[in-house]
């Protein structure tokens, strides 16, 4: 029976080889990465440094340094009022009447907003009027449909008094409300060699309407070469109403934009948006130019950038040239900011491996999962879990196999991604436990090496099936992802320990509990919690650990996981040696193998990481772990043959 089951597993793995090859090819062909910066921060630099670096020179230097695109946000009334532009200035009714006693014929009784306009030819005035009138018309259409239209005209009213031009807005309009993109600036940036990345906030009350003013502007920028659409804040436009998000998605889908998702900043409504339209996705990572902070923090941002390029399939980087609390106050600060930013961006590019090229970020080619491969992989998973049960708990084999078969059937019938991810999670947990529990008697060094290789091979079977089950572009660009990293970190150790020491459980629970027993349990519990807490991107590193990790990365291209090559695999290797020596306490060291194999499988559940990168990282862990295991064996021999007899002799005196 076991031979038949292993035959099914091997056939299922062989069938998946073309899919795995396709994934590697898709990851390998996309080598371009794009650096973008925000336009408003360029403005800040130019404002304070323009006596030495005019805007055109700043553009030239940034483009030459490797900036490919510029993120641009819509203008607001506040922008038009700002000191930089000074195109309009709000005035009250009282001020108008005081300045122009004969103006009463133009004054409206209703609440509204009056603005003096100093430059009617500025593009922003046209945007402001069009945005206001468009929203008024859309609101009136809604009210007409409800049978209660607005009885009088509430569009923008323009009049002149003396030499002054006044615009009256018949109702209140937020000064932070977006009114549209400054196409003059857009064209200026394009002429300087940059691409444009429009940014949108969730601050558009009629975003679901296809004739809303913002779509005409997005279409205009699309014609000028803009490809990617990036959202500001923590929400996509329309968040709060699923139907509005869907309407918005359909509107921008027609324009042909790629959607940019922000790493470590999940935006509400994004999943609905992506599920509605047929979008290509570009992943973006924010990197901070911390010019006023120390070098180590700056260095950390650079390394974050490099890891994003080579290890996380991120193809767009948004360089924040100023922090939230950073502003320039003098010419010297402006000059330093420009020169520092240019140097920082040049250094970023210098650190990227040669196989990657700066340029326009492109979406990954589509990975379409094969239904046949998925079905065969699911059958292989059932066979794999049956083999595990025959090894670990033979009495429950039929029950568990039947349960897994029903779960697989449920997934095939419903197509549920949640059920599919559940199967993948079970496979990962079983793989980590199976790798350790499959160990048999170790008689000599040949057996030791074979058992080590066998355990690694079993873990790779689980990895293979997880990669084939969770296959598709949505996993590659992290629209969907493996859930249960922390569960995978903890459960194999907890369940595996019970199975490994099941013969000792009755004895263990019959012991009289003493204070030192409690202390040991508390320490072990704290260690387990710390280990689980370190998993994932939010895990906390120990002091000096980051420097050690970076050193390994500089030497090896990618670093092996610390938990694997310094702890899990070395002590597992030592445990195999102690089994060879027939030591009763050998299983205690084998226990750490659960940590090693859980971490090893977890590496490949980060499906947005290139498969070959995960493979290289794991090979390092396996080889270095065995090497350090040999060192531990040598240390153990010294302790057993020299230190222990000496201590024992001194203790007996």
């Amino acid at each position: 029976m076991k031979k038949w089951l292993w035959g099914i597993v091997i056939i299922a793995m062989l069938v998946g080889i073309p899919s795995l090859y396709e994934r590697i090819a898709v990851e390998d062909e996309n080598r371009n990465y794009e650096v973008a910066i925000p336009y408003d921060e360029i403005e800040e630099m130019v404002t304070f440094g323009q006596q030495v670096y005019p805007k055109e020179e700043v553009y030239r230097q940034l483009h030459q340094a490797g900036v490919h695109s510029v993120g641009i946000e819509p203008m607001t009334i506040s922008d038009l009022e700002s000191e930089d532009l000074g195109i309009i200035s709000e005035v009250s009714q009282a001020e108008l009447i005081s300045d122009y006693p004969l103006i009463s014929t133009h004054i409206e009784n209703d609440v509204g907003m009056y603005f003096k306009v100093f430059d009617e030819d500025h593009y922003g005035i046209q945007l402001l009027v069009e945005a206001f009138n468009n929203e008024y018309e859309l609101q009136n259409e809604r009210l007409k449909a409800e049978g209660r239209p607005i009885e009088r005209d509430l569009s923008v009213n323009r009049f002149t008094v003396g030499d002054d031009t006044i615009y009256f807005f018949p109702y209140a309009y937020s000064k932070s409300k977006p009114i549209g993109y400054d196409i003059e600036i857009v064209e200026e940036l394009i002429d300087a060699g940059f691409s444009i990345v429009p940014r949108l906030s969730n601050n558009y009350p009629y975003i679901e309407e296809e004739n809303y003013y913002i779509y005409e502007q997005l279409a205009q920028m699309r014609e000028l070469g803009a490809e990617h659409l990036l959202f500001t804040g923590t929400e996509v436009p329309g968040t709060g109403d699923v139907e509005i998000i869907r309407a918005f998605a359909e509107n921008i889908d027609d324009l042909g934009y790629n959607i940019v998702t922000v790493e470590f900043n999940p935006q509400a409504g994004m999943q609905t948006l992506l599920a509605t339209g047929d979008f290509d996705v570009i992943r973006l990572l924010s990197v901070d130019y911390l010019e006023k902070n120390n070098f180590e923090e700056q260095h950390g941002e650079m390394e974050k950038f490099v890891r994003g390029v080579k290890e996380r399939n991120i193809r767009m980087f948004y360089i924040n040239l100023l922090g939230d609390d950073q502003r320039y106050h003098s010419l010297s600060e402006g000059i330093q900011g420009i020169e520092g930013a240019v140097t920082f961006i040049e250094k970023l590019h210098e650190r990227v491996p040669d196989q990657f090229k700066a340029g326009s970020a492109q979406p990954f080619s589509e990975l379409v999962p094969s239904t046949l491969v998925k079905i065969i992989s699911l059958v292989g998973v059932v066979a794999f879990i049956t083999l595990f049960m025959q090894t670990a708990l033979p009495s429950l084999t039929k029950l568990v196999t039947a349960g897994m078969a029903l779960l697989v059937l449920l997934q095939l019938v419903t197509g549920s991604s949640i059920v599919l991810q559940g199967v993948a999670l079970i496979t990962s947990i079983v793989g980590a436990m199976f790798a350790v529990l499959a160990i048999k008697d170790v008689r000599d060094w040949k057996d030791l090496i074979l058992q080590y290789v066998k355990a690694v091979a079993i873990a790779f079977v689980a990895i293979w099936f997880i990669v084939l089950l969770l296959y598709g572009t949505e996993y590659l660009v992290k629209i969907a992802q493996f859930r249960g990293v922390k569960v995978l970190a903890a459960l194999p150790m907890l369940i595996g320990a019970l199975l490994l020491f099941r013969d000792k459980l009755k004895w263990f629970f019959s012991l009289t509990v003493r204070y030192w027993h409690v202390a040991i349990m508390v320490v072990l519990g704290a260690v387990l919690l710390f280990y689980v807490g370190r998993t994932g991107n939010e895990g906390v590193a120990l002091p000096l650990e980051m420097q050690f990790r970076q050193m390994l990365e500089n030497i090896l291209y990618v670093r092996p996981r610390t938990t694997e090559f310094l702890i899990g695999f070395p002590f597992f290797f030592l445990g195999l040696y102690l089994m060879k020596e027939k030591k009763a306490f050998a299983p205690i060291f084998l226990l750490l193998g659960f940590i090693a194999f859980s971490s090893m499988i977890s590496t490949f559940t980060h499906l947005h990481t290139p498969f070959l990168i995960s493979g290289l990282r794991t090979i390092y862990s396996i080889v270095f772990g065995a090497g350090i295991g040999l060192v531990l064996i040598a240390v153990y021999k010294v302790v057993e043959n020299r230190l222990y007899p000496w201590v024992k002799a001194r203790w007996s005196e």
Side-chain angles (χ1 to χ4, degrees):
M1 177 61 72
K2 285 187 177 181
K3 289 181 180 179
W4 279 103
L5 290 171
W6 276 116
I8 293 171
V9 168
I10 291 170
I11 290 171
M13 293 177 68
L14 291 175
V15 168
I17 288 176
S19 295
L20 186 57
Y21 177 81
E22 182 187 19
R23 174 181 162 179
I24 293 171
V26 165
E27 290 174 332
D28 188 62
E29 71 183 7
N30 191 335
R31 294 291 184 172
N32 277 10
Y33 68 94
E34 180 174 331
V35 169
I37 56 176
Y39 176 74
D40 58 347
E41 294 184 2
I42 297 178
E43 273 193 312
E44 178 81 7
M45 289 181 172
V46 171
T47 299
F48 287 92
Q50 60 188 337
Q51 288 88 345
V52 175
Y53 291 106
K55 181 185 286 188
E56 293 74 17
E57 177 62 15
V58 173
Y59 286 166
R60 189 193 67 78
Q61 290 206 22
L62 288 171
H63 188 263
Q64 188 173 333
V67 176
H68 184 272
S69 55
V70 176
I72 186 165
E73 298 185 27
M75 289 191 296
T76 65
I77 293 177
S78 295
D79 292 331
L80 298 180
E81 279 191 303
S82 67
E83 291 183 8
D84 292 338
L85 292 180
I87 296 168
I88 63 174
S89 176
E90 184 178 12
V91 291
S92 66
Q93 284 189 7
E95 288 174 323
L96 285 173
I97 293 172
S98 174
D99 292 342
Y100 309 102
L102 301 179
I103 201 175
S104 57
T105 56
H106 296 288
I107 294 294
E108 302 281 349
N109 293 324
D110 294 337
V111 174
M113 303 171 71
Y114 293 88
F115 289 96
K116 282 185 180 181
V117 177
F118 306 111
D119 182 4
E120 278 197 281
D121 294 330
H122 191 278
Y123 186 70
I125 300 301
Q126 177 186 341
L127 290 178
L128 177 58
V129 172
E130 288 178 354
F132 185 93
N133 287 340
N134 178 250
E135 291 196 356
Y136 156 64
E137 290 166 2
L138 292 173
Q139 177 63 25
N140 201 20
E141 287 176 10
R142 290 183 180 181
L143 292 173
K144 282 180 181 178
E146 297 172 4
R148 48 192 187 96
I150 300 174
E151 297 297 337
R152 59 193 182 84
D153 183 19
L154 292 181
S155 55
V156 176
N157 181 20
R158 173 193 178 280
F159 58 91
T160 59
V161 182
D163 294 331
D164 292 330
T165 300
I166 309 295
Y167 279 64
F168 174 62
F169 293 77
Y171 52 85
Y173 201 69
S174 171
K175 291 187 178 182
S176 62
K177 178 81 170 53
I179 59 173
Y181 299 91
D182 190 334
I183 297 299
E184 293 178 357
I185 294 295
V186 169
E187 293 174 340
E188 182 181 278
L189 290 167
I190 290 172
D191 289 342
F194 299 109
S195 297
I196 300 301
V197 181
R199 304 198 66 182
L200 284 178
S201 65
N202 185 22
N203 195 13
Y204 295 92
Y206 301 94
I207 198 72
E208 71 275 23
E209 303 290 346
E210 63 181 354
N211 57 339
Y212 196 31
Y213 72 90
I214 196 65
Y215 295 119
E216 183 179 346
Q217 295 171 10
L218 289 174
Q220 188 175 359
M221 283 189 287
R222 187 74 182 91
E223 291 174 0
L224 291 171
E227 295 181 306
H228 314 312
L229 193 60
L230 174 62
F231 305 114
T232 60
T234 58
E235 300 175 336
V236 305
T239 297
D241 189 314
V242 171
E243 294 305 317
I244 292 178
I245 295 177
R246 288 174 178 165
F248 167 64
E250 291 171 359
N251 289 335
I252 59 172
D253 194 12
D254 292 339
L255 296 175
Y257 277 99
N258 302 322
I259 297 298
V260 178
T261 60
V262 183
E263 193 78 351
F264 308 125
N265 181 31
Q267 293 171 309
M270 181 64 77
Q271 294 299 322
T272 303
L273 176 77
L274 296 176
T276 301
D278 183 21
F279 298 110
D280 287 323
V281 173
I282 304 289
R283 289 170 60 221
L284 175 146
L285 179 67
S286 289
V287 177
D288 295 326
Y289 166 48
L290 305 168
E291 59 164 318
K292 294 185 179 180
N293 291 1
N294 61 48
F295 172 76
E296 288 191 3
E297 290 180 336
Q298 198 73 50
H299 182 77
E301 290 296 303
M302 291 183 180
E303 298 309 328
K304 183 172 74 172
F305 173 88
V306 175
R307 283 193 297 272
V309 174
K310 70 181 184 181
E311 297 180 27
R312 299 183 66 84
N313 280 336
I314 293 172
R315 292 297 174 258
M316 191 170 187
F317 298 86
Y318 205 68
I319 312 300
N320 299 299
L321 303 177
L322 286 168
D324 292 337
D325 58 344
Q326 288 183 318
R327 291 294 180 268
Y328 298 123
H329 303 94
S330 65
L331 172 63
S332 62
E333 286 188 0
I335 294 171
Q336 290 172 6
I338 294 167
E339 294 175 348
V342 168
T343 301
F344 177 72
I345 293 168
E346 288 174 340
K347 287 182 178 179
L348 289 178
H349 290 295
E350 289 172 3
R351 290 171 178 263
V352 175
D354 292 339
Q355 65 264 38
F356 298 97
K357 302 299 179 185
S360 176
Q362 298 299 317
F364 285 90
S365 299
E366 190 173 5
L367 281 178
V368 181
S370 163
T371 302
L372 178 61
V373 170
K374 187 179 81 168
I375 292 172
I376 295 175
S377 297
L378 287 169
V379 172
V381 165
V382 174
F384 180 66
I385 291 174
T386 301
L387 284 164
F388 166 72
M389 293 305 298
Q390 288 180 344
T391 300
L393 288 170
S395 60
L396 296 178
T397 299
K398 291 183 179 179
L399 179 63
V400 172
T401 300
M404 281 302 303
L406 287 174
L407 192 62
V408 165
L409 184 61
L410 176 65
Q411 201 289 318
L412 292 174
V413 171
T414 64
S416 169
S417 62
I418 295 176
V419 175
L420 186 64
Q421 291 198 30
V423 173
L425 177 58
I426 293 170
T427 305
S428 65
I429 293 169
V430 166
M433 292 191 292
F434 197 180
V436 177
L437 296 175
I439 298 300
K440 303 298 182 184
D441 291 336
V442 181
R443 292 164 296 181
D444 51 30
W445 275 100
K446 180 181 177 181
D447 271 353
L448 190 155
I449 299 300
L450 287 176
Q451 292 295 331
Y452 187 71
V453 171
K454 182 176 79 171
V456 169
I458 288 173
F460 264 118
V461 172
I463 288 167
W464 194 277
F465 285 133
I466 292 166
V467 170
L468 292 177
L469 292 178
L470 305 182
Y471 185 89
T473 310
E474 67 272 24
Y475 291 100
L476 191 65
V477 297
K478 210 178 175 182
I479 297 172
Q481 58 184 315
F482 176 84
R483 303 290 181 182
V485 172
K486 292 188 182 298
V487 174
L488 175 57
L491 271 190
M493 167 70 86
L494 295 174
I495 299 174
L498 293 176
L499 294 173
L500 196 61
F501 294 101
R502 56 188 158 186
D503 296 337
K504 302 289 191 298
L505 290 179
K506 185 176 179 181
W507 166 81
F508 177 78
F509 286 112
S510 67
L511 289 174
T512 301
V513 179
R514 303 186 184 281
Y515 287 116
W516 67 272
H517 292 160
V518 176
I520 290 176
M521 296 301 290
V522 169
V523 171
L524 290 176
V527 170
L528 182 61
L529 285 174
F530 176 72
Y531 160 65
V532 173
R534 280 168 54 89
T535 59
N537 294 314
E538 69 279 6
V540 178
L542 294 170
L544 301 181
E545 185 178 357
M546 293 305 297
Q547 291 90 326
F548 177 61
R549 288 181 177 184
Q550 190 56 53
M551 181 188 71
L552 290 175
E553 199 163 308
N554 293 339
I555 297 171
L556 302 173
Y557 187 79
V558 291
R559 65 174 179 84
R561 284 189 159 187
T562 309
T563 305
E564 295 172 26
F565 88 97
L566 278 183
I567 301 172
F569 283 121
F571 283 99
F572 177 69
F573 199 87
L574 175 61
L576 292 175
Y577 171 79
L578 294 174
M579 284 186 70
K580 181 179 79 71
E581 298 298 308
K582 311 302 180 189
K583 302 296 182 181
F585 53 86
I588 295 175
F589 294 93
L590 292 179
L591 189 64
L592 293 174
F594 292 118
I595 292 178
F597 292 109
S598 293
S599 178
M600 172 181 163
I601 294 172
S602 178
T603 295
F604 288 86
T605 64
H606 294 76
L607 298 157
H608 50 275
T609 297
F611 182 83
L612 293 181
I613 289 291
S614 296
L616 180 60
R617 171 175 285 147
T618 299
I619 290 170
Y620 282 147
S621 292
I622 294 165
V623 174
F624 293 167
I628 296 173
L630 289 172
V631 174
L632 291 179
I633 291 171
V635 171
Y636 170 78
K637 285 183 175 181
V638 170
V639 171
E640 182 184 45
N641 298 329
R642 297 185 181 182
L643 185 59
Y644 176 71
W646 180 79
V647 171
K648 185 178 180 181
R650 293 293 300 266
W651 187 263
S652 352
E653 289 179 358

